[in-house]
Amino acid sequence: MKLSTLFISRLVFSLAVLATILLIYLTHAPMEQLKEDYGGFIHTLGDKALHLLAYGGVAFLYFLAARFAEFSRKALHRLLGALLVFSAVDEGTQALVGRNADWLDLLFNLAGIVIGLFLSKLFYIIAKKTVRRFFME
């Protein structure tokens, strides 16, 4: 069974959208509720590591979807810009729901996005070689 790159792109993009919705919920839910539900997890990893992982994961999924859809370099730059703006807006709007916007959180969000960008490129290169080796030889 052959999977088209368009199908893979759409599947990964759908996962990215779901991850974004979860990210928005988690960054805007009352902190007391999050500590009650996920306190051990937050304490174990630390707030900044969670920002890095969350934004790195979301960026990884969006960039991977874009790579499978064969976006141009210019479109990838626009996607990077959109994710950076989204991160700033997400951090800034937390004050509207009684949470604190933090510059250090924003810095870790941005670092996660850049790491997600590079990991998606590496993963795409490996995946493409693997698919070629197993399905096209």
Side-chain angles (χ1 to χ4, degrees):
M1 178 177 152
K2 238 181 186 180
L3 292 177
S4 73
T5 55
L6 183 59
F7 173 79
I8 294 170
S9 176
R10 287 179 179 173
L11 178 65
V12 175
F13 180 77
S14 298
L15 291 173
V17 169
L18 290 173
T20 302
I21 292 168
L22 178 62
L23 178 65
I24 292 169
Y25 166 73
L26 290 174
T27 58
H28 289 80
M31 187 54 83
E32 297 78 30
Q33 184 66 39
L34 289 177
K35 284 183 180 177
E36 185 179 312
D37 293 343
Y38 307 105
F41 186 70
I42 293 170
H43 179 70
T44 302
L45 281 179
D47 179 55
K48 303 308 178 234
L50 288 172
H51 281 268
L52 188 78
L53 287 172
Y55 273 90
V58 167
F60 174 82
L61 291 171
Y62 279 115
F63 280 109
L64 191 60
R67 290 184 194 288
F68 275 109
E70 299 178 358
F71 277 23
S72 68
R73 182 178 295 264
K74 191 174 188 178
L76 288 172
H77 290 149
R78 287 183 185 147
L79 177 59
L80 175 62
L83 286 169
L84 295 174
V85 169
F86 169 76
S87 171
V89 169
D90 182 53
E91 194 62 38
T93 57
Q94 289 179 26
L96 300 174
V97 294
R99 300 207 24 199
N100 295 327
D102 182 6
W103 285 103
L104 201 51
D105 286 350
L106 180 61
L107 182 64
F108 276 85
N109 294 350
L110 301 179
I113 291 169
V114 171
I115 290 169
L117 165 69
F118 288 112
L119 289 178
S120 73
K121 183 171 185 162
L122 179 65
F123 183 85
Y124 178 72
I125 290 168
I126 292 169
K128 204 170 183 183
K129 286 181 181 179
T130 304
V131 167
R132 225 182 262 136
R133 185 157 99 224
F134 287 111
F135 297 109
M136 296 186 168
E137 288 184 350

